[in-house]
Amino acid sequence: MKKYLFLVVLLTVTAQVTYADDREIADPIEGFNRKVFWFNEQFDTYLFKPIAQGYNYITPNVAQRSFTNFFRNLRSPIYIVSDLMQGNSDQLGTHLARFMYNSTFGLAGFIDVAKEFGLRHVEEDFGTGLGYRGVETGPYLVLPIYGPSNLRDTFGRIADSFLDPLGAAGYFSDALEDPVLYGTRALEAVNIRAKRLEDKELMDDMSLDPYVFRRSAYMQMREGLVGRE
């Protein structure tokens, strides 16, 4: 059912790609971005995707959901700072309550007990906070490994890395020499990629130019996150 729902959303986004391009997304370094995009595709095809497929095969869905809940809970400082930037007291209260419920009754966040109290997760980050405050997206960028972004969101990622406990820990230790930190970050990345295995294949199959499609889809998605406030 979820697969068909995603297909409907994908078709809707595809129909809007021309609209997004008509607004002329700023992409002054498209040539460079396409080279980084190509590198990311090779990295994904020959390394990241096979690892995610193996992980998806051996890891039960319930475990994957638990890891998703844990990492989402761990990123709570990012959501809270974004709420403060927006002056959104209702959403701030929700994120604070979710963090307290899930960190305690949810066993360090592995179980999302807060949603049973009607406290649904709302995705936020420093970039959406900047967008709410009127900061323009700036030119489109493709980051190595990370993928689609823009100037505003790239700055936001840097700020988020200081707010994310795992990211902050990385600044005070060498992740390659800290097996726990390195392994946790790797698990987070693989867990995210495993959830998107079918999604990426559908997008690639249905788009004549994957670069243009993902550029438009990303910019629309980010615009939607800011515009909902």
Side-chain angles (χ1 to χ4, degrees), residues 17-105:
V17 165
T18 302
Y19 168 70
D21 286 342
D22 286 342
R23 291 180 298 162
E24 298 182 357
I25 294 173
D27 192 359
I29 56 171
E30 180 175 345
F32 175 77
N33 279 336
R34 282 185 177 271
K35 289 182 174 63
V36 179
F37 178 81
W38 179 87
F39 168 79
N40 288 348
E41 287 295 283
Q42 305 312 303
F43 176 83
D44 184 75
T45 298
Y46 296 107
L47 181 62
F48 207 21
K49 179 180 176 180
I51 292 175
Q53 288 174 323
Y55 169 85
N56 202 40
Y57 180 76
I58 64 174
T59 308
N61 289 334
V62 63
Q64 293 187 36
R65 286 195 298 272
S66 295
F67 290 140
T68 297
N69 293 336
F70 172 76
F71 290 118
R72 180 181 288 169
N73 191 63
L74 203 62
R75 288 170 57 85
S76 291
I78 296 175
Y79 312 142
I80 291 169
V81 168
S82 183
D83 295 335
L84 289 171
M85 291 174 65
Q86 298 168 41
N88 192 332
S89 58
D90 290 339
Q91 196 164 281
L92 173 62
T94 296
H95 279 133
L96 285 172
R98 280 184 55 82
F99 178 70
M100 290 187 290
Y101 277 124
N102 290 340
S103 297
T104 53
F105 302 111

Side-chain angles (χ1 to χ4, degrees), residues 179-198:
V180 175
L181 178 60
Y182 180 73
T184 304
R185 293 310 297 260
L187 173 61
E188 180 182 20
V190 173
N191 190 65
I192 292 173
R193 181 63 182 92
K195 293 191 300 180
R196 299 175 179 172
L197 285 170
E198 292 186 1

